[in-house]
Amino acid sequence: MDGFVNDVPAPGLFIREELEARGWTQSDLAYVLGIAESELSAILAGKRGITPERAKAFGKAFDVAAELFANLQNAYDLSRAREPDPNVERKARLQSVYPIRDMIKRGWLIDSAASLLEAQLASFFEASSINEVPQLAHAAMKSNYGDVPAAQLAWLYRVRQIAKEMVVPAYSEKALRKALAEMKQYMIDPADTRHVARLLSECGIRYVVVEALPNSKIDGVCFWIDDSPVIGMSILKDRIDNFWFVLRHEIEHVLQGDGRDLAIIDSELEGAGGGTGSEVPEQERNANKEAADYCVPIREMESFFLRKNPFFSERDLLGFAKRMQVHPGIVAGQLRRRLNRWDLFSKHLVKIRQSVLSTAMCDGWGQVAPLSN
């Protein structure tokens, strides 16, 4: 029908009806509006749009709200606009749940059309189709990870991808407990954290370091591939105290056999997640207690705290750390946690990430783990 696009009439049709109702000619309306008759003819024919200024003028001329003509023009313009690429809606669905752009930047996915991107995501999450991907549309209720933030879940599956390709000997709890004792000597010099990956591998543990995705707030994970334990860490906080606490926390999960059925995902271990109160799940309380005791024996820490509180000098810190045979930053971390004073002894919280990454299987910080597929 002339003047219609997809059953949406051009604004000129309504203007003609108003002219007829008033018995006006186009020349009359052009005169009232103070515009050339040729401009009005173009508007009536749908060849020229109604600008906001003209909408106000038509409103005054016909004694109606200017929004009427603005809305008529907007509806007509939308009806004439081309349909968007179908990829837009499908990609928006994916991006609304998972950090797709960040996953592409990290090399976990290859930017492509929506259909190929969906297929990649299904493969990434070891699902048969996009509708089986955890937390996406209808699959959300089927997922055992329904309460896990999507960014953490993506990080977990990246750790899993890398761990599956690692070759380690059979896991030995006896070897791991022996390695824990040996690792004590590496808690003095930050550079010695490079030995951790080797020791864990010799015990049959697949140790993977993957940079956290933005806003994921994840510290570590423990799960099993068959009878082989996996420890994943993000080194989200690149500090010697946090590294040893998170590492020992995850090792305790391994020793207790946690994560065999469902991965244990640990986040905010420096905050509420690192406590030992009744609000923290029992297996997490136990792991936190063992981690704190490993960093600095709890009885020794308690004695030091009672003797020096509330004044802890630099000399006190260094002397106690030397006696405990750990880096001062590890003691500082325990003090900060106990006092809830995150400003104390900050200079001792040295970075260790580069030392750890020098020997560990890693992904992130500008490098992509080499995978076979």
Side-chain angles (χ1 to χ4, degrees), residues 39-320:
E39 179 182 343
L40 178 59
S41 294
I43 292 174
L44 294 179
K47 297 178 180 179
R48 185 166 184 169
I50 299 176
T51 65
E53 290 77 10
R54 288 286 178 262
K56 287 186 175 181
F58 280 122
K60 294 296 184 183
F62 295 131
D63 192 26
V64 296
E67 287 78 10
L68 170 64
F69 296 97
N71 291 337
L72 288 172
Q73 186 65 51
N74 184 55
Y76 183 67
D77 290 342
L78 282 175
S79 71
R80 299 178 66 192
R82 290 185 304 173
E83 287 298 315
D85 186 334
N87 283 311
V88 172
E89 184 176 4
R90 293 169 73 176
K91 284 186 174 181
R93 176 195 175 210
L94 300 181
Q95 183 65 42
S96 66
V97 179
Y98 286 100
I100 300 297
R101 286 186 64 249
D102 289 306
M103 294 171 74
I104 291 172
K105 288 179 182 178
R106 296 281 294 275
W108 301 0
L109 303 172
I110 298 174
D111 196 7
S112 56
S115 59
L116 293 177
L117 201 55
E118 289 171 349
Q120 288 184 70
L121 200 63
S123 176
F124 182 90
F125 284 102
E126 303 174 8
S128 58
S129 72
I130 190 64
N131 288 327
E132 296 300 321
V133 171
Q135 299 190 354
L136 261 177
H138 307 297
M141 297 304 294
K142 302 176 186 177
S143 171
N144 289 325
Y145 295 103
D147 296 331
V148 178
Q152 292 187 4
L153 201 56
W155 181 89
L156 161 63
Y157 272 82
R158 185 58 175 178
V159 171
R160 182 176 175 82
Q161 280 184 343
I162 298 169
K164 287 175 69 174
E165 299 205 355
M166 297 175 68
V167 178
V168 295
Y171 167 64
S172 167
E173 180 181 338
K174 180 179 179 181
L176 179 55
R177 293 190 182 278
K178 181 179 178 182
L180 273 174
E182 184 178 343
M183 273 193 278
K184 278 285 191 179
Q185 66 183 303
Y186 301 136
M187 298 175 70
I188 300 174
D189 185 348
D192 282 343
T193 52
R194 69 186 187 276
H195 297 297
V196 167
R198 172 184 58 82
L199 285 172
L200 293 179
S201 177
E202 291 172 351
C203 299
I205 294 177
R206 305 177 196 222
Y207 178 65
V208 183
V209 180
V210 175
E211 181 183 3
L213 288 164
N215 304 313
S216 62
K217 299 180 180 179
I218 194 162
D219 292 306
V221 66
C222 170
F223 61 93
W224 298 66
I225 297 176
D226 298 325
D227 291 324
S228 178
V230 178
I231 288 179
M233 289 179 62
S234 69
I235 314 187
L236 184 61
K237 294 178 172 60
D238 185 8
R239 303 196 320 256
I240 190 169
D241 63 312
N242 187 265
F243 171 78
W244 284 107
F245 185 89
V246 174
L247 176 66
R248 183 60 182 87
H249 180 104
E250 301 306 334
I251 288 176
E252 187 61 24
H253 281 317
V254 172
L255 290 172
Q256 298 303 321
D258 299 336
R260 284 186 178 272
D261 298 324
L262 197 65
I264 303 295
I265 300 175
D266 293 307
S267 60
E268 300 187 73
L269 288 182
E270 189 163 274
T276 55
S278 58
E279 71 281 359
V280 179
E282 183 178 5
Q283 63 183 4
E284 295 301 325
R285 290 202 306 269
N286 293 337
N288 288 333
K289 180 180 177 181
E290 293 298 331
D293 192 61
Y294 187 77
C295 290
V296 183
I298 293 175
R299 291 182 62 180
E300 295 286 353
M301 190 71 207
E302 185 70 23
S303 175
F304 174 70
F305 182 83
L306 291 175
R307 284 185 289 109
K308 301 297 181 179
N309 190 47
F311 303 108
F312 298 93
S313 68
E314 185 88 0
R315 181 178 177 182
D316 292 335
L317 176 74
L318 296 176
F320 183 61

